[in-house]
Amino acid sequence: MAQITPGLDFLARKLFIPLILFLAISLVIFLVGFRPTTWQLLVAPFLGITAYISAVISLGRWIERWEAARMGSRLVPQCRRRHSAIDRAIAFFCGRRTYEVPGTMLAQEVVAYNSPIVNVFTIWFNYIVTTCPEHVKIILTTNPENYVKGEGFSRVTRSTLGMGVYTTDGSLWKFHRSVVRPLFLRSRHPTHLELCDRYAQHAMAHLDSITGAGYSIDLLNLFRWSSLNIASEMLLGVCVSNLPCAHEACSDRESSFYPEMDFSTAILRVQEVVSRREELGPLWPLHELLNDKTKEPMHIISQTLDPLILAAMRKKMMRGVGVLYSTDEKAIDASNGKENETLLSQLAELTDESYQIKDVILNVLIPQRDNVALTLSSLVYYLALHPRITSHLRAEILHHLGPIRRPTSDDLRAMKYLRAVINETLRLTPPVPCTIRETVTATTWPSPYPKGKPIYIPAHAKVSYDVYSIHTSKDFWGPDAKQFDPERFLDGRYQEYLSPNPYIFLPFGVGPRACFGQEVAYDEISILTIRLLQAYGSLSIDASAKYPTFRTLETRPLAYGNKNGLGLKLDTS
């Protein structure tokens, strides 16, 4: 069955009323006997559209000034854009990639304007970017109901993530979270650590085979496969992707943009398309006028997930008539007599709609996989740059575990320096460097300046807090804010900076929409780091490696700045 493309749907929704008005005006002109020339017919629509947009913008700004005065506040300072929406649109339509995470380009305007809050005004809407922790607290915990994902974000992600915990608001979001969150609480059971360790050892064996042959390794690529396997087995009960072949993981071999459209690369492709849509703003459907660019990768993803979902639903139906699969018997936990549920099995019990199950799974699987892989790559990068820190961390690991023992939950809690290294990595390279919300109603924020008037925040504005700028601000973290120093989480700087102001450290967010899988992520990052340093004593960046072509969407140091992955040489000494 043929489906309408995003571009055609956009034109049908946006041009219907203008077309009716144009036809009505044309009919009136015809009835009064006026006969315009050809050039007048061509120019008139453009002049009309320009006048309409100018009038709407001017009226909107006047209403905002009036509302701000009525509420005893002032407008957010507006900065002159160095990168306009039109510039970015031209770049995208011409096929040039900016390699930017949605929102990071706008966040750079705050730094350039030298203000803790600015309005990066566009043709489409107010875009307010803040680096003030007090404003972050309002968005995340004080009044989160007024700061939602919004219909615009839902439309961007609907063809990929559908309706799930990551894309919805209100009561629907609360329902999805209530379904998903208990699974991550139960995953603190030791079997989760065993799962992480099993795939960590697979990754180390893969590293041995590659480094033993004299190759350097693209760890970002390898970590992505490993974290995807851990996430898929925890959520689905099966592994959905093999570790990459040696030539795909090695950074001294050229590879195509997407060498194979398997499950893992299909996820990357989906992320790239969504990133482009976010950058283009409300006009993104015009970039997909002839085809939906998520259709092909989502077809690959569906080919993997649909059979698993169907099998889970069939198993539920058969259990309903008294048939017990042999695998059901093996899934019973001997320690408590309960079945080891996966997210898939839970969802199959709750609904008979396969598309709903798929939406929920993708909303959890994609963020978990990507955040862990990016953080691990950044962590190893910093260790390669700082041999002293690497030696300290390895000494702690060998002291607690020796060269081969698998860590327990108690071991992870005891290794304070390991946790500090992970936190410092998350501080300098947060997996989500900029978070965007949309306001529901007009409100005011306190001024970042003493005795300043409150700041007016209009309804339906985009508001964003720049996590990276907050994490690296000298005002919040001291003069060495941009240096990699895990000791800041263990010495007096913790009590001086972070303890009195927890909203300056936001790698997983806070409040009702905080990441419910953050402890799972800490476990996975910890175990992979432990296994890496149990096996290798020396890490160095391979500057001579021929990196693969563009594989990641991130910008800024390493996880954000190295768009080609991480080429590394490893030594067992």
Side-chain angles (χ1 to χ4, degrees):
M1 179 179 176
Q3 293 183 342
I4 188 170
T5 66
L8 293 178
D9 176 68
F10 175 82
L11 293 176
R13 287 185 292 104
K14 298 298 183 181
L15 296 184
F16 179 74
I17 293 179
L19 180 61
I20 295 298
L21 291 175
F22 176 77
L23 293 176
I25 294 172
S26 300
L27 179 60
V28 171
I29 291 175
F30 177 79
L31 292 177
V32 299
F34 179 69
R35 298 293 183 269
T37 62
T38 302
W39 72 267
Q40 289 174 328
L41 288 174
L42 294 175
V43 172
F46 293 101
L47 293 178
I49 292 173
T50 303
Y52 172 77
I53 292 176
S54 299
V56 169
I57 292 175
S58 299
L59 179 61
R61 298 297 288 175
W62 180 86
I63 292 175
E64 288 172 8
R65 285 193 294 270
W66 180 82
E67 280 282 321
R70 185 181 65 84
M71 300 174 72
S73 58
R74 63 184 178 90
L75 295 179
V76 178
Q78 185 173 331
C79 72
R80 183 176 179 83
R81 300 282 313 278
R82 293 177 296 123
H83 305 287
S84 71
I86 296 176
D87 292 337
R88 296 199 314 278
I90 292 173
F92 275 111
F93 280 108
C94 292
R96 301 197 301 271
R97 297 186 178 90
T98 61
Y99 306 112
E100 291 283 353
V101 177
T104 57
M105 185 181 293
L106 297 175
Q108 292 169 10
E109 306 292 343
V110 181
V111 178
Y113 197 68
N114 194 29
S115 171
I117 180 171
V118 298
N119 185 356
V120 191
F121 185 74
T122 71
I123 295 176
W124 337 114
F125 43 68
N126 290 287
Y127 201 120
I128 297 167
V129 186
T130 182
T131 57
C132 181
E134 191 172 0
H135 299 161
V136 176
K137 181 179 180 180
I138 293 172
I139 295 172
L140 297 181
T141 59
T142 305
N143 188 20
E145 295 81 8
N146 196 47
Y147 304 93
V148 298
K149 295 284 187 175
E151 178 59 29
F153 179 78
S154 177
R155 191 174 290 116
V156 164
T157 58
R158 190 167 294 156
S159 64
T160 57
L161 297 178
M163 305 296 286
V165 69
Y166 186 66
T167 61
T168 54
D169 295 302
S171 58
L172 186 57
W173 165 76
K174 291 179 180 178
F175 167 75
H176 283 296
R177 185 175 177 86
S178 68
V179 171
V180 174
R181 191 169 182 269
L183 178 70
F184 286 88
L185 296 177
R186 287 197 300 271
S187 67
R188 296 295 294 168
H189 191 275
T191 55
H192 170 65
L193 298 182
E194 294 172 8
L195 173 65
C196 292
D197 186 65
R198 174 154 49 88
Y199 282 106
Q201 293 196 55
H202 289 172
M204 293 308 106
H206 202 68
L207 280 177
D208 288 340
S209 66
I210 295 171
T211 56
Y215 291 117
S216 59
I217 180 75
D218 176 9
L219 284 184
L220 176 57
N221 194 10
L222 185 64
F223 286 149
R224 275 186 168 139
W225 260 275
S226 180
S227 57
L228 175 62
N229 290 338
I230 294 172
S232 62
E233 184 158 336
M234 186 176 71
L235 301 175
L236 306 174
V238 297
C239 170
V240 297
S241 178
N242 293 321
L243 282 170
C245 299
H247 73 276
E248 291 173 339
C250 290
S251 59
D252 62 347
R253 294 285 301 274
E254 291 289 351
S255 60
S256 62
F257 188 73
Y258 293 107
E260 298 176 357
M261 189 65 83
D262 64 358
F263 188 85
S264 182
T265 48
I267 289 178
L268 272 179
R269 176 62 176 164
V270 162
Q271 290 175 296
E272 185 209 22
V273 174
V274 171
S275 178
R276 289 192 185 187
R277 289 177 175 180
E278 282 284 289
E279 283 291 327
L280 281 172
L283 292 183
W284 71 263
L286 297 181
H287 189 235
E288 302 182 31
L289 187 62
L290 301 180
N291 66 307
D292 183 344
K293 296 185 182 298
T294 64
K295 184 176 181 180
E296 182 183 1
M298 286 305 298
H299 176 70
I300 300 298
I301 291 172
S302 295
Q303 283 184 323
T304 301
L305 293 183
D306 287 352
L308 298 174
I309 295 172
L310 182 62
M313 296 175 69
R314 184 181 297 117
K315 187 181 295 187
K316 180 188 73 170
M317 181 183 67
M318 297 302 290
R319 280 200 299 266
V321 295
V323 177
L324 184 66
Y325 284 75
S326 59
T327 53
D328 289 342
E329 297 173 348
K330 297 177 182 179
I332 303 299
D333 189 340
S335 63
N336 54 23
K338 296 181 180 179
E339 184 178 352
N340 286 329
E341 288 185 316
T342 63
L343 178 61
L344 176 58
S345 64
Q346 276 186 298
L347 294 172
E349 295 295 330
L350 291 174
T351 180
D352 293 326
E353 299 292 344
S354 61
Y355 73 91
Q356 292 179 349
I357 297 176
K358 187 192 301 182
D359 288 351
V360 175
I361 289 172
L362 289 177
N363 271 259
V364 178
L365 180 64
I366 293 178
Q368 182 183 355
R369 169 256 196 191
D370 219 45
N371 293 347
V372 168
L374 290 173
T375 302
L376 276 166
S377 298
S378 300
L379 188 152
V380 174
Y381 170 78
Y382 286 122
L383 291 181
L385 291 181
H386 300 87
R388 181 189 63 81
I389 294 175
T390 304
S391 298
H392 188 168
L393 178 58
R394 189 167 192 254
E396 180 185 68
I397 292 171
L398 295 179
H399 171 74
H400 284 276
L401 303 172
I404 58 173
R405 187 166 72 83
R406 173 175 64 84
T408 64
S409 295
D410 292 337
D411 292 324
L412 295 181
R413 281 190 292 270
M415 288 188 279
K416 305 296 185 182
Y417 195 72
L418 172 61
R419 186 68 166 230
V421 169
I422 296 173
N423 282 337
E424 182 70 346
T425 302
L426 290 168
R427 186 183 71 85
L428 289 179
T429 53
V432 182
C434 198
T435 300
I436 304 170
R437 295 286 190 269
E438 181 178 316
T439 56
V440 178
T441 60
T443 186
T444 60
W445 287 353
S447 173
Y449 304 107
K451 299 182 180 180
K453 293 180 68 175
I455 296 174
Y456 172 75
I457 308 297
H460 311 299
K462 298 287 186 180
V463 294
S464 172
Y465 57 92
D466 183 9
V467 178
Y468 177 82
S469 295
I470 294 173
H471 280 194
T472 57
S473 171
K474 294 181 180 180
D475 294 334
F476 304 140
W477 292 92
D480 61 347
K482 295 192 176 182
Q483 298 177 15
F484 183 80
D485 184 6
E487 296 286 346
R488 76 175 71 249
F489 287 91
L490 302 172
D491 58 24
R493 285 172 293 179
Y494 181 88
Q495 296 297 329
E496 181 180 357
Y497 296 111
L498 182 56
S499 183
N501 193 2
Y503 289 89
I504 65 173
F505 186 57
L506 305 160
F508 297 104
V510 293
R513 296 200 81 132
C515 176
F516 43 75
Q518 56 184 287
E519 289 305 319
V520 172
Y522 271 119
D523 287 347
E524 186 175 338
I525 295 167
S526 297
I527 290 178
L528 279 161
T529 303
I530 287 168
R531 286 306 189 187
L532 180 67
L533 292 183
Q534 281 180 324
Y536 299 97
S538 173
L539 313 173
S540 60
I541 297 174
D542 183 7
S544 64
K546 295 179 181 179
Y547 289 103
T549 50
F550 175 80
R551 282 183 174 275
T552 149
L553 312 176
E554 296 72 27
T555 57
R556 294 182 177 175
L558 184 72
Y560 312 116
N562 186 351
K563 58 180 175 291
N564 300 306
L566 173 60
L568 211 69
K569 288 182 177 178
L570 307 173
D571 193 336
T572 56
S573 60

